[in-house]
């Protein structure tokens, strides 16, 4: 990066038409940042494109390399002004007139990079993200002697793979699924006869592409899609090496118009749902991981890996065949993967020996597979193959996605090879869910559980802004999208509070989620109950909005007599009394109960940004007391005065029914009923 900013070489067709010393461009500005010239400017002329101020007749040689004077900013051919040294080693350079003008100006060379003699494990992180390529014959021999189980993953119809499947099936997206026929997936793929040459033609034959040399486990520089297509179409016996392409992202190309992910992916994908549409496309930085074209030749091997940030994957075999080996992402298996990844073990230890089991899945042309969050897998390519796929994050397993990001940090994966803009995407997601929760939108339990993990992550990011080092503060603040999130710490803590409230926890005065403090009793710390601990404890950056006016109406009370039996002695008597609207009036010969009923009503109102909110809380309590008919003595025509069961030897039977109703007029009617029964 430093080299490209200080000194740049370029071809004649790339150099700037501006040669005036008064140019405003800084000497530290790379050529790639210059605006594209107009058509008139880009027309090659001998004066503007082929000649430098030091060009002389009779001087021939390589004139595609240019150098710029750090004083006057004028560009020269290195062949015309150079001394034959390596241009890449020069740090600062001045032309002859500028050195004559100020003799103190001297050419300087770059300081050689310090090299350590300590033995290091060489890792290619671009490959590590999608799997480290290795000698296929070696691992195939290892596989022959290892216990590998055939899969029993679900085979589903494309029409059944949708959001409703996740909402109604608790096991959905917990293990890979295979769709053998793409019909019903509502995705779009190129026709089966589409070839690697067609990929090169659609994306551009001159497009640079990262090609991996499988044997050396390293990137091969200088490849274009045109050259790759020529290699791919060579007879296998005539190929000099086994190579693979696993990182060609095609968003924004003509080929992207022919590829559309399955419906389920589009319904779940965070980038699709939560990243602002106004901040996508050309000129904007956003996560481009949805459309990949993978092209591998026979015998390629992709070593064990987890896709960045634990992202899920859709994988469609257009041509060829792929064999997947899976390890379930249990806590123990992920811990084993963390110990193995990025160490010496990665090159000489079969990860399958460190986990509970390995499962094998074979995919053929036309098959589509969806790999859920965090599944560890390796891939073998038995025949030349062409695959389309992509990565996506979703809201049904956020905890595992965050766990994988922690593993990436622990194993020192450079940020360049992690999920792009991951933290910023999390803030966009959190902001949208907070607004939905404020609007009383309901979510499945799995989503609420995941959102609590997301809220904890965002709170930790907020704590880094508040109490972290200067570097941590700056990095955490840069990850916050200021176009949506104005007060990040307050947003994160409010999200955590509202998620817990939506998950079913109770809060009498909006104190849910506040930390439980400890107080001292006789010199010892005593934990306070959650109810008492919530009182008076405030979020640092979040203050729940109060009500502008509260009105309690006068209590209403009445009393009546009901002929019905007391609660039965069976274990199921509560069910009968929990049905509030059930008519309990019985026969006249049944025992009589005196029912005392009270009714309290409270009305609250407050202004909002968009109007008014008001709330009506109604509390109804009934107290049922049975009176017994005493036996009549013989010859005594008078009835014996009734006595309360409370004074009789039969004991006291009392049933209390309590009803609470709460209605918010800004939303559909919500009624909550609670009953308290005392016997």
């Amino acid at each position: 990066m430093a080299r490209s900013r200080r000194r740049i070489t370029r071809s004649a067709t790339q150099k700037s038409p501006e040669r005036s010393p008064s140019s405003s461009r800084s000497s530290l500005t790379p050529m790639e940042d210059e605006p594209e010239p107009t058509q008139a400017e880009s027309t090659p002329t001998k004066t503007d494109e082929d000649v430098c101020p030091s060009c002389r007749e009779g001087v021939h040689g390589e004139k595609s390399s240019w150098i710029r004077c750090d004083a006057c900013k004028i560009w020269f051919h290195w062949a015309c002004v150079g001394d034959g040294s390596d241009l890449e080693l020069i740090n600062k350079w001045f032309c002859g007139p500028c050195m004559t003008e100020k003799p103190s100006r001297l050419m300087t060379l770059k300081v050689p990079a310090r090299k350590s003699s300590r033995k290091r494990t060489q890792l290619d992180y671009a490959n590590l993200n999608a799997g480290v390529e290795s000698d296929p014959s070696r691992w195939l021999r290892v596989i022959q002697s290892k216990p590998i189980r055939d899969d029993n993953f679900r085979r589903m119809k494309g029409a059944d793979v949708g959001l409703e499947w996740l909402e109604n099936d608790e096991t959905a997206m917990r293990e890979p699924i295979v769709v053998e026929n793409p019909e019903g997936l509502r995705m779009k793929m190129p026709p089966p006869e589409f070839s690697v040459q067609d990929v090169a033609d659609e994306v551009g034959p001159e497009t640079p592409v990262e090609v991996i040399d499988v044997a050396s486990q390293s990137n091969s520089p200088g490849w274009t899609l045109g050259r790759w297509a020529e290699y791919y179409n060579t007879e296998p016996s005539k190929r000099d090496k086994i190579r693979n392409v696993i990182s060609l992202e095609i968003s924004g190309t003509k080929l992207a118009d022919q590829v559309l992910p399955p419906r389920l992916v589009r319904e779940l994908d965070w980038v699709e749902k939560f990243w602002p549409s106004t901040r996508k496309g050309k000129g904007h930085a956003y996560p481009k991981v949805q459309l990949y074209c993978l092209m591998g030749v026979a015998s390629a091997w992709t070593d064990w890996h987890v896709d960045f940030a634990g992202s899920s994957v859709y994988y469609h075999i257009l041509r060829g065949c792929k064999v997947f080996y899976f390890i379930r992402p249990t806590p123990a298996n992920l811990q084993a993967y963390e110990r193995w990844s990025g160490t010496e073990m990665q090159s000489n230890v079969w990860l399958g020996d460190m986990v509970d089991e390995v499962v094998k899945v074979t995919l053929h042309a036309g098959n589509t597979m969806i790999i859920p969050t965090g599944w560890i897998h390796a891939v073998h390519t038995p025949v030349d193959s062409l695959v389309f796929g992509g990565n996506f994050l979703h809201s049904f397993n956020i905890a595992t996605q965050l766990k994988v990001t922690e593993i990436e940090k622990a194993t020192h994966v450079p940020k360049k090879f992690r999920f792009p803009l991951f933290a910023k995407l999390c803030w966009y997601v959190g902001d949208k869910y907070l607004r939905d929760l404020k609007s009383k939108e309901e979510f499945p339990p799995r989503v609420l559980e995941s959102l609590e993990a997301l809220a904890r992550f965002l709170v930790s990011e907020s704590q880094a802004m508040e109490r972290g080092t200067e570097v941590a503060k700056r990095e955490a603040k840069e990850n916050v999208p200021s176009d949506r999130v104005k007060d990040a710490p307050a947003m994160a803590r409010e999200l955590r509070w509202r998620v817990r409230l939506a998950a079913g926890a109770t809060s009498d005065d909006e104190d849910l989620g506040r930390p439980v403090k400890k107080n001292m009793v006789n010199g010892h710390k005593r934990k306070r109950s959650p109810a008492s601990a919530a009182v008076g404890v405030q979020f640092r950056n979040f203050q729940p909005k109060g009500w502008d006016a509260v009105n309690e109406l006068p209590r209403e009370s009445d009393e009546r007599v009901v002929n019905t039996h007391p609660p039965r002695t069976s274990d199921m008597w509560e069910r009968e009394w929990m049905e509030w609207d059930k008519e309990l009036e019985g026969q006249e010969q049944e025992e009589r109960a005196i029912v005392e009923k009270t009714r309290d009503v409270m009305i609250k109102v407050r202004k909002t940004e968009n109007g008014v909110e008001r709330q009506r809380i109604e509390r109804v309590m009934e107290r049922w007391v049975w009176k017994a008919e005493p036996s009549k003595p013989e010859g005594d025509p008078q009835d014996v005065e009734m006595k309360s069961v409370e004074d009789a030897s039969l004991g006291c039977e009392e049933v209390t029914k309590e009803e609470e109703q709460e209605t918010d007029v800004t939303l559909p009617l919500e009624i909550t009923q609670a009953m308290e029964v005392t016997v």
Side-chain angles (χ1 to χ4, degrees):
M1 182 61 71
R3 180 177 64 188
S4 65
R5 288 183 177 273
R6 175 57 63 184
R7 186 69 56 225
I8 303 168
T9 61
R10 58 179 185 169
S11 64
T13 60
Q14 293 174 317
K15 60 183 180 293
S16 169
E18 182 64 34
R19 297 236 166 70
S20 172
S22 62
S23 172
S24 62
R25 179 168 52 80
S26 168
S27 63
L28 295 181
T29 304
M31 290 300 298
E32 290 79 2
D33 293 338
E34 291 185 329
E36 295 183 0
T38 63
Q39 184 176 0
E41 291 173 331
S42 61
T43 303
T45 64
K46 184 174 181 180
T47 302
D48 292 337
E49 297 295 335
D50 299 328
V51 179
C52 77
S54 295
C55 278
R56 301 184 303 277
E57 294 293 335
V59 176
H60 303 284
E62 177 60 46
K63 292 189 176 183
S64 62
S65 297
W66 292 72
I67 191 168
R68 187 180 66 176
C69 174
D70 280 275
C72 65
K73 314 302 183 191
I74 297 178
W75 290 88
F76 298 85
H77 290 126
W78 183 238
C80 297
V81 297
D83 56 2
S85 60
D86 187 356
L87 177 60
E88 297 297 324
L89 299 179
I90 297 176
N91 184 42
K92 285 188 177 182
W93 180 85
F94 304 95
C95 64
C98 290
M99 294 180 68
T100 302
E101 177 185 355
K102 190 174 182 179
S104 60
R105 292 170 173 158
L106 297 174
M107 183 181 73
T108 60
L109 301 178
K110 295 178 181 178
V111 178
R114 178 178 177 271
K115 295 184 179 180
S116 173
S117 60
R118 181 165 57 93
K119 183 178 179 180
R120 296 176 180 269
T121 301
Q122 299 298 322
L123 296 178
D124 188 326
Y125 282 101
N127 290 345
L128 180 59
N129 175 52
V132 178
E133 299 294 317
S134 62
D135 181 2
S137 60
R138 174 191 176 190
W139 292 118
L140 290 177
R141 288 193 301 269
V142 170
I143 292 173
Q144 300 292 333
S145 61
K146 298 298 181 181
I148 297 178
R149 182 174 64 84
D150 289 335
D151 80 284
N152 58 356
F153 299 143
R154 293 180 63 178
R155 265 60 177 175
M156 298 184 64
K157 295 181 180 179
D160 297 333
V161 182
L163 187 59
E164 60 278 0
W165 167 54
L166 271 79
E167 294 176 345
N168 299 323
D169 187 348
E170 184 64 24
T171 64
M173 286 294 287
R174 296 194 184 276
E175 61 181 28
I177 63 167
V178 177
V179 181
E180 297 178 343
N181 189 330
E183 183 180 357
L185 280 173
R186 293 169 62 178
M187 70 177 182
K188 183 169 68 172
M189 290 289 164
E193 61 272 13
F194 198 80
S195 66
V196 170
Q197 183 62 53
D198 294 326
V199 174
D201 294 339
E202 291 293 320
V203 180
E206 298 303 319
T207 301
V209 62
E210 183 179 288
V211 176
I212 297 174
D213 179 353
V214 174
S216 64
Q217 305 178 30
S218 62
N219 298 332
S220 301
W223 282 76
T224 63
L225 274 177
R227 182 183 173 191
W228 167 256
E230 182 179 350
Y231 160 82
Y232 187 94
N233 293 325
T234 303
E235 288 291 332
S237 59
K238 296 181 180 180
R239 293 170 182 157
D240 57 340
K241 294 181 179 181
I242 303 298
R243 293 186 169 94
N244 204 5
V245 171
I246 58 177
S247 57
L248 178 62
E249 220 283 340
I250 59 174
S251 295
T253 69
K254 292 181 179 179
L255 180 55
D257 296 334
Q258 302 184 46
V259 180
L260 183 68
R263 173 173 65 104
L264 175 67
V265 175
R266 303 195 305 273
E267 291 174 337
L268 296 179
D269 184 10
W270 274 5
V271 177
E272 185 78 15
K273 293 179 61 179
F274 301 117
W275 196 277
S277 58
T278 56
R279 295 185 175 271
K280 293 180 186 176
K282 189 175 182 180
H284 293 286
Y286 70 99
K288 294 193 292 185
V289 296
Q290 295 86 2
L291 301 177
Y292 280 104
C293 178
L294 298 89
M295 299 167 281
V297 299
S299 298
W301 170 263
T302 304
D303 210 354
W304 296 108
H305 65 283
V306 179
D307 284 84
F308 43 30
S311 54
S312 301
V313 180
Y314 75 93
Y315 204 89
H316 178 76
I317 311 294
L318 191 70
R319 304 178 67 176
C321 176
K322 291 282 185 177
V323 181
F324 280 77
Y325 298 89
F326 283 107
I327 296 173
R328 189 177 297 274
T330 64
N333 289 345
L334 286 174
Q335 187 177 15
Y337 173 76
E338 182 176 352
R339 294 198 309 269
W340 174 87
S341 180
T343 66
E344 293 287 348
M345 289 191 293
Q346 188 168 340
S347 59
N348 53 42
V349 174
W350 172 251
L351 179 61
D353 293 337
M354 303 172 61
V355 299
D356 51 5
E357 66 174 1
V358 176
V359 179
K360 174 183 176 181
V361 181
T362 301
L363 300 180
H364 301 281
N367 293 168
T368 304
M369 181 164 62
I370 295 181
I371 306 172
T373 303
W375 277 72
I376 309 164
H377 55 283
V379 187
H380 173 232
T381 307
V383 297
D384 294 359
S385 300
L386 175 59
V387 175
F388 288 94
N391 297 73
F392 62 100
L393 297 171
H394 59 82
S395 303
F396 283 81
N397 200 347
I398 300 176
T400 303
Q401 292 170 177
L402 294 171
K403 174 61 178 176
V404 174
T405 61
E406 293 176 3
I407 292 177
E408 292 172 345
K409 294 177 183 178
T411 54
H412 306 292
V413 177
K415 292 182 181 179
K416 178 181 178 181
F417 303 108
R418 302 179 195 172
F419 194 99
L421 303 172
F422 175 77
K424 180 171 286 189
L425 178 58
C426 287
W427 282 109
Y428 277 127
V429 175
D431 174 72
K432 179 59 168 64
Y433 274 113
L434 176 57
R435 286 186 277 120
D436 290 342
L437 289 168
K438 285 181 177 180
S439 301
K440 307 298 184 184
E441 185 170 339
E442 296 183 354
F443 298 99
R446 281 180 64 182
V447 173
L448 289 175
E449 182 180 351
S450 286
L451 289 180
E452 186 162 2
L454 174 64
R456 288 196 300 267
F457 170 73
L458 296 180
V459 169
S460 69
E461 290 288 293
S462 302
Q463 291 170 344
M465 299 179 208
E466 297 165 344
R467 301 190 293 272
T469 63
E470 290 303 317
V471 174
K473 288 180 179 179
R474 182 172 63 253
E475 181 179 342
K477 290 178 181 178
E478 289 174 352
N479 290 331
V480 178
S482 57
D483 59 313
R484 291 291 178 88
V485 180
K486 304 305 180 184
D487 188 343
M491 191 223 85
R493 291 180 170 93
E494 184 180 0
L495 175 65
R496 181 176 62 180
W497 172 74
R498 291 191 180 274
V499 166
R500 292 175 179 173
L501 191 65
T506 59
S507 174
D508 291 336
D509 55 352
E510 305 185 8
D511 289 328
L512 180 69
R514 298 176 182 175
V516 176
K517 289 190 174 182
K518 297 180 179 179
N519 61 342
M520 302 296 292
V521 177
N522 297 328
H524 300 282
K525 287 185 177 180
R526 176 177 63 84
K527 290 186 178 180
R528 300 171 64 186
S529 65
S532 62
V535 177
V537 184
Q538 299 293 323
F539 284 140
R540 176 179 297 180
N541 295 288
F542 171 63
Q543 179 67 35
K545 185 178 179 181
W547 296 95
D548 296 333
V550 178
N551 183 25
E552 295 188 23
L553 302 183
R555 170 174 289 186
E556 301 176 4
S557 61
D558 64 5
E559 181 178 305
R560 72 183 190 276
V561 177
V562 177
N563 293 325
T564 188
H565 59 79
R568 304 185 187 280
T569 57
S570 64
D571 295 335
M572 302 301 292
W573 69 269
E574 298 95 339
R575 180 177 301 178
E576 178 183 9
W577 286 86
M578 286 290 288
E579 298 179 15
W580 185 270
D581 296 326
K582 181 179 179 181
E583 181 60 51
L584 297 174
E585 186 77 27
Q587 303 297 326
E588 290 188 3
Q589 62 270 24
E590 291 186 334
E591 299 179 60
R592 292 188 301 169
I594 299 176
V595 183
E596 298 176 357
K597 180 178 179 180
T598 59
R599 178 173 173 269
D600 300 288
V601 177
M602 178 184 296
I603 299 176
K604 302 179 181 180
V605 63
R606 63 187 172 193
K607 289 184 178 180
T608 64
E609 295 179 355
N610 301 321
V612 175
E613 285 182 349
R614 62 176 182 173
Q615 187 179 78
R616 183 176 184 273
I617 302 174
E618 184 178 39
R619 182 185 179 94
V620 178
M621 176 177 286
E622 293 180 351
R623 181 179 298 274
W624 296 61
V625 179
W626 276 265
K627 299 294 184 178
E629 290 282 353
S631 60
K632 298 180 181 180
E634 293 183 3
D636 187 359
Q638 302 295 328
D639 292 337
V640 178
E641 182 180 359
M642 295 176 61
K643 297 179 63 178
S644 172
V645 176
E646 186 176 356
D647 299 329
S649 60
L650 296 177
C652 174
E653 293 183 351
E654 180 182 320
V655 177
T656 301
K657 294 177 65 178
E658 179 180 342
E659 173 184 70
E660 291 184 10
Q661 295 183 335
E662 181 174 327
T663 305
D664 190 337
V665 298
T666 63
L667 298 169
L669 183 62
E670 295 181 355
I671 299 178
T672 303
Q673 292 186 340
M675 181 178 65
E676 178 181 343
V677 180
T678 305
V679 180

